[in-house]
Amino acid sequence: MAAVAAVAGLVQQQRLASSPPFPVKVLLGRLLGQRQRNTWESHLPGRFQADWARSEVMETICEAKSVCQSSSDEKVVMPQGSCVTGRVWELSSCAEGSREVQAFMDEAEEHDLLSMAQELSSHVWDAMRCPHANHVMQKLVTRLRPSHNQFIIEALEREGLFIQAARHKYGCRILQRLIEHCPSEQVEHLADVVVNQVLNIACHPYGNHVIGCLFEHGTETNKTALSKTVQDYIQVLGSDPHGMGVISHAMMFASEDDRLAIARSSLNMPSVLPSMACSRHGHPAVQQILTMLDGEEHQKARAIILAEEAQLVASRYGRIVLAGKERR
């Protein structure tokens, strides 16, 4: 009986949600979807066995079932800002509350989003490091006009936190959304700081994604500066699994001249190409390098790779490179 009451309580807590939890649905189906007596009913206290379906607890569950069924057919309309306004940080900092805030944001008007941004303006760094609130921050960046995201940039700039954010598991996501959605002049200082500290970020498990995002969405000036660093430090980057990802982004998004310069620099470090060819994140760069080089340079790159053919054959990604080399 206690279990039945507990299920009823869970369902009542979910009435404002778009759908009850799956385990609750399953148990409700077992409780209410059968006309015959359940085998475990005999274990209930005697006073409940004769007419347990009309008990107060079962009436509660039946009512809950009705709510669940109607919620599957009708869209639940969330209360206007009252359920979120004034509690944005409190809700965003936990898993369930973060989902509630994000659901509200999907339908919120601009003035509601601006009100939420105002509430979070004094919690920017905390929100960026929170496993739940970072999702709210990311959605704010994508939903607000770029100019209204300035409070995030200013908070990081004021405390000198661009590098720390780039190297943080969740903070790096916010920087990527800013680079993707804000005009280049708005994130110019952010990009300059990252470019100047590229070696401290490129080989980091989270920071490398910010460098890759700059290659994809940054200005030509950003890309040229980053490409020069890749050329100068290709052995360092090509020996690190995360740095290899940066080289691959460079070979996809840098200018043709910069890509050719990077490809040529790889020939001066014979250990780089075989190592990258056997890597998940590095083998796309090797494929691009082989495509970029012609004549004697191409033959030299092939010779470097074939010298370690056994190593490549033993690697899933190395075999991909070898197969592409044969098709050329």
Short mmCIF file of all heavy atoms in Angstrom, two decimals, residues 11 50 70 95 111 151 158 162-163 174 262 285 289 321 328:
data_model
loop_
_atom_site.label_atom_id
_atom_site.label_comp_id
_atom_site.label_asym_id
_atom_site.label_seq_id
_atom_site.Cartn_x
_atom_site.Cartn_y
_atom_site.Cartn_z
N VAL A 11 3.09 10.92 -9.22
CA VAL A 11 2.29 11.38 -10.36
C VAL A 11 1.75 12.77 -10.11
O VAL A 11 1.73 13.63 -10.99
CB VAL A 11 1.15 10.38 -10.65
CG1 VAL A 11 0.23 10.91 -11.73
CG2 VAL A 11 1.73 9.04 -11.05
N ALA A 50 -10.68 -6.55 -0.32
CA ALA A 50 -12.04 -6.74 -0.82
C ALA A 50 -12.45 -5.68 -1.81
O ALA A 50 -13.05 -5.96 -2.84
CB ALA A 50 -13.02 -6.77 0.35
N SER A 70 -4.45 12.82 -20.36
CA SER A 70 -4.77 14.08 -21.04
C SER A 70 -3.53 14.84 -21.43
O SER A 70 -3.48 15.51 -22.45
CB SER A 70 -5.65 14.94 -20.13
OG SER A 70 -4.93 15.29 -18.96
N ALA A 95 19.02 20.07 -11.62
CA ALA A 95 18.68 19.42 -12.89
C ALA A 95 17.22 19.66 -13.29
O ALA A 95 16.94 20.09 -14.40
CB ALA A 95 18.97 17.92 -12.79
N HIS A 111 10.93 40.12 -23.56
CA HIS A 111 11.02 40.82 -22.28
C HIS A 111 11.21 39.83 -21.13
O HIS A 111 11.87 40.14 -20.13
CB HIS A 111 9.78 41.69 -22.05
CG HIS A 111 8.51 40.92 -21.85
ND1 HIS A 111 7.72 40.50 -22.90
CD2 HIS A 111 7.90 40.48 -20.71
CE1 HIS A 111 6.68 39.84 -22.43
NE2 HIS A 111 6.76 39.81 -21.12
N PHE A 151 26.39 41.21 -21.32
CA PHE A 151 26.63 41.09 -19.88
C PHE A 151 27.51 39.88 -19.56
O PHE A 151 28.27 39.90 -18.59
CB PHE A 151 25.30 41.02 -19.11
CG PHE A 151 24.60 39.70 -19.18
CD1 PHE A 151 24.72 38.77 -18.14
CD2 PHE A 151 23.79 39.37 -20.26
CE1 PHE A 151 24.07 37.55 -18.18
CE2 PHE A 151 23.13 38.16 -20.32
CZ PHE A 151 23.27 37.24 -19.28
N ARG A 158 35.81 41.41 -17.06
CA ARG A 158 36.08 42.16 -15.83
C ARG A 158 36.95 41.36 -14.86
O ARG A 158 37.82 41.91 -14.20
CB ARG A 158 34.74 42.53 -15.17
CG ARG A 158 34.85 43.41 -13.96
CD ARG A 158 33.50 43.99 -13.58
NE ARG A 158 32.46 42.98 -13.41
CZ ARG A 158 31.43 42.81 -14.23
NH1 ARG A 158 31.29 43.58 -15.29
NH2 ARG A 158 30.52 41.88 -14.00
N PHE A 162 38.51 34.60 -19.35
CA PHE A 162 38.35 33.98 -20.67
C PHE A 162 39.09 32.64 -20.76
O PHE A 162 38.56 31.65 -21.27
CB PHE A 162 38.83 34.91 -21.78
CG PHE A 162 37.91 36.08 -22.04
CD1 PHE A 162 38.42 37.36 -22.22
CD2 PHE A 162 36.54 35.89 -22.11
CE1 PHE A 162 37.57 38.43 -22.46
CE2 PHE A 162 35.68 36.96 -22.36
CZ PHE A 162 36.20 38.23 -22.54
N ILE A 163 40.33 32.61 -20.30
CA ILE A 163 41.13 31.39 -20.41
C ILE A 163 40.57 30.30 -19.49
O ILE A 163 40.45 29.14 -19.89
CB ILE A 163 42.61 31.66 -20.07
CG1 ILE A 163 43.17 32.74 -21.01
CG2 ILE A 163 43.42 30.37 -20.19
CD1 ILE A 163 43.06 32.39 -22.48
N ILE A 174 29.85 27.86 -23.29
CA ILE A 174 29.32 29.23 -23.36
C ILE A 174 30.14 30.06 -24.33
O ILE A 174 29.60 30.82 -25.14
CB ILE A 174 29.30 29.88 -21.97
CG1 ILE A 174 28.69 28.96 -20.92
CG2 ILE A 174 28.57 31.22 -22.03
CD1 ILE A 174 27.27 28.52 -21.20
N ILE A 262 50.64 24.72 -43.52
CA ILE A 262 50.57 23.72 -42.45
C ILE A 262 50.96 22.35 -42.99
O ILE A 262 51.72 21.60 -42.35
CB ILE A 262 49.16 23.69 -41.82
CG1 ILE A 262 48.88 24.99 -41.08
CG2 ILE A 262 49.02 22.50 -40.87
CD1 ILE A 262 47.43 25.15 -40.62
N ALA A 285 43.05 15.35 -40.62
CA ALA A 285 44.08 16.31 -41.01
C ALA A 285 45.07 15.67 -41.98
O ALA A 285 45.48 16.31 -42.96
CB ALA A 285 44.83 16.82 -39.77
N ILE A 289 46.03 16.88 -45.66
CA ILE A 289 47.42 17.17 -46.02
C ILE A 289 47.80 16.46 -47.31
O ILE A 289 48.43 17.04 -48.21
CB ILE A 289 48.36 16.78 -44.86
CG1 ILE A 289 48.20 17.78 -43.71
CG2 ILE A 289 49.82 16.72 -45.32
CD1 ILE A 289 48.88 17.36 -42.43
N VAL A 321 43.12 6.10 -43.63
CA VAL A 321 44.11 6.93 -44.34
C VAL A 321 44.74 6.13 -45.48
O VAL A 321 44.89 6.63 -46.60
CB VAL A 321 45.18 7.45 -43.37
CG1 VAL A 321 46.30 8.15 -44.14
CG2 VAL A 321 44.56 8.40 -42.35
N ARG A 328 43.73 7.84 -54.42
CA ARG A 328 44.16 9.07 -55.06
C ARG A 328 44.82 8.79 -56.41
O ARG A 328 45.59 7.90 -56.57
CB ARG A 328 45.17 9.82 -54.16
CG ARG A 328 45.64 11.13 -54.78
CD ARG A 328 46.65 11.81 -53.87
NE ARG A 328 47.33 12.89 -54.55
CZ ARG A 328 47.00 14.16 -54.45
NH1 ARG A 328 46.00 14.51 -53.71
NH2 ARG A 328 47.69 15.09 -55.09
#
